Amino acid sequence: MRTLRRTAAGPVRRVAGALLVLLAVSVLVFAATEAAPGDAATARLGPQADAAAVDGVRAELGLDRPAPLRYLDWLGHAVRGDFGASYANGRPVGELVADRLGNSLVLGLAALAVLVPLAVGLGLWAGLRAGRRGDRLVSGTALGLAAVPEFVTGAVLMLVFAAGLGWLPAVSLLGAGQGPLDEPSVLVLPVLTLVSVCLAQNLRLVRAGVAEAARSPAVEAARLNGVPERRVALRLVLPAGLGPAVPMLARSVAYLLGGALVAESLFGYPGLAALLVDATASRDVPVVQAVALLGAAIAVTANLAADLAVPLLEPAQRHP
């Protein structure tokens, strides 16, 4: 009975912890935007504006109220999905974020669709051949990719496939009313850049987990009993080998779906990261707060899912 209670309480504690993390992040996001120099009033009127005009705009935007009251008011509306209106153009922040979120999700999911099979497949293949030539080749290539900065990888891809061969567009701009799926070619270079960033660590963790699982007594017993190698690899080695890689994969999911700043900025892709850069430049605080909180929510959710998934992959943790 006590074991059942502990098993049931584990996910509840994790969810409660995730909510507390989001609450703490909301405080940090609000405090950071408050501590930044300048505000929306000075950004709108310019540094040479009359003090009375600046005070009038601050009163209009509610910036003259005490910070704790503004935080509680913002948090109460944010919980209901209302992030207010943009200081820059007056549009609801939810609409601005929703427009860009769809683009970032398409880019992130496309990168995940490439990343996960590559990391798991190559990690499994290399881990089952630990120490051999194929393992050294895959691991060395992964290390090489990890050593190259993201913007360098993107620039090289742009020079080769866009400027040199002319196969793909150099920038990922979209026309009015267009989505990334209307022009799939604009996704190729950003996806390759993102995959090159996330592949190395995920592949190496899968490879290390598989190599360790392949030496376990359970796997050796299965092989001695004549279980086919393919079944041993897929049913015993791979689930155990994925356990160490799941937390890193969760961080990759949060990075890809939350808006990859360098890749989106380098290729001009209209996603959340580009929206955050524009909003920061114009001191559009409601947009900055909404994007930052959304990115944190994606990261916390991905890590929570990883925490809940690891015991399912490792029976020893599921039945202590």
Side-chain angles (χ1 to χ4, degrees):
M1 180 64 70
R2 291 180 180 177
T3 301
L4 290 176
R5 288 176 180 173
R6 285 198 300 268
T7 304
V12 174
R13 285 198 300 268
R14 289 187 174 95
V15 172
L19 293 177
L20 288 176
V21 169
L22 280 178
L23 180 61
V25 168
S26 71
V27 175
L28 292 176
V29 167
F30 189 86
T33 53
E34 286 292 306
D39 58 17
T42 55
R44 178 181 296 184
L45 299 178
Q48 306 300 325
D50 181 68
V54 172
D55 291 340
V57 173
R58 284 177 176 155
E60 177 187 349
L61 298 176
L63 300 177
D64 56 341
R65 300 170 58 206
L69 293 180
R70 286 189 283 115
Y71 167 74
L72 293 176
D73 185 56
W74 169 73
L75 182 62
H77 285 85
V79 170
R80 299 193 296 269
D82 178 14
F83 291 95
S86 167
Y87 290 166
N89 53 34
R91 287 185 59 191
V93 173
E95 292 182 4
L96 294 172
V97 172
D99 291 344
R100 299 298 187 92
L101 177 61
N103 294 340
S104 287
L105 287 178
V106 170
L107 178 61
L109 291 174
L112 281 176
V114 178
L115 171 66
V116 173
L118 277 179
V120 174
L122 291 175
L124 176 63
W125 187 85
L128 292 174
R129 295 161 177 79
R132 301 180 191 174
R133 182 179 301 175
D135 173 38
R136 291 194 295 269
L137 175 62
V138 171
S139 299
T141 303
L143 279 175
L145 289 175
V148 181
E150 182 178 354
F151 70 90
V152 174
T153 302
V156 170
L157 291 174
M158 189 185 300
L159 287 173
V160 173
F161 293 103
L165 299 174
W167 292 352
L168 297 167
V171 292
S172 301
L173 300 177
L174 298 174
Q178 279 190 327
L181 295 180
D182 297 324
E183 293 286 343
S185 60
V186 303
L187 293 171
V188 177
L189 293 182
V191 163
L192 291 178
T193 303
L194 293 174
V195 169
S196 70
V197 172
C198 301
L199 178 62
Q201 291 178 319
N202 286 283
L203 187 155
R204 288 177 60 80
L205 283 174
V206 173
R207 180 260 176 208
V210 166
E212 181 179 356
R215 297 190 297 267
S216 67
V219 172
E220 292 179 1
R223 286 169 173 162
L224 290 174
N225 287 323
V227 178
E229 184 65 24
R230 180 183 179 87
R231 188 171 184 179
V232 170
L234 296 180
R235 298 292 297 274
L236 294 177
V237 175
L238 182 58
L242 284 178
V246 167
M248 176 56 68
L249 183 60
R251 287 192 284 272
S252 299
V253 170
Y255 170 73
L256 295 175
L257 298 184
L261 179 61
V262 175
E264 290 191 6
S265 301
L266 179 63
F267 294 101
Y269 187 79
L272 282 177
L275 176 63
L276 179 61
V277 171
D278 294 341
T280 303
S282 61
R283 291 289 296 153
D284 199 346
V285 173
V287 176
V288 173
Q289 292 172 339
V291 174
L293 193 60
L294 178 60
I298 293 174
V300 169
T301 303
N303 283 282
L304 176 62
D307 288 341
L308 297 176
V310 168
L312 300 178
L313 295 171
E314 298 180 4
Q317 293 187 21
R318 189 169 70 245
H319 302 293

